[in-house]
Amino acid sequence: MKKTLLLVAILILQASCSSTSKSHDNWIGQSKQKLMKTWGPPIRVLHDDQENEIFLYADQVFITDSGAAGPYYWKYDYMYIGKDGKISSWRNEKQKFPPQAVESKNVIGLNQQIR
């Protein structure tokens, strides 16, 4: 019985970890209006030289066990939106610097899906 419960718990944990990436993948091809309705307005909107937009969503995360990022970090979600208003790709990352320090030149061209 205990082995069955442990197995079920492991399967649920594995499914929840993999669903985060899949939930972002589901946004590919969706409109920026739908994204803003669901996630709210982005913290910043960056532009590239081809009139595409990059919506920046950020959450500050505080941790009690200081790991590689230290006692806090920023979790960023970048949603890349083409001229047609559709989401073409996304990526996320953890950084120490605040959203105000993100420069568009550093995130342009990095629109591969990074998980």
Side-chain angles (χ1 to χ4, degrees), residues 50-65:
Q50 298 174 350
E51 299 178 22
N52 297 308
E53 295 178 304
I54 304 166
F55 280 17
L56 171 61
Y57 291 91
D59 289 313
Q60 192 170 20
V61 179
F62 294 93
I63 54 175
T64 56
D65 179 24

Side-chain angles (χ1 to χ4, degrees), residues 17 29 45 52-53 80 90 104 110:
C17 290
V45 178
N52 297 308
E53 295 178 304
Y80 293 83
W90 63 272
S104 61
L110 297 177

Side-chain angles (χ1 to χ4, degrees), residues 35-36 39-43 55-59 75-79:
L35 177 66
M36 288 176 52
W39 286 19
I43 284 191
F55 280 17
L56 171 61
Y57 291 91
D59 289 313
K75 179 188 169 290
Y76 291 119
D77 288 303
Y78 300 95
M79 302 302 273

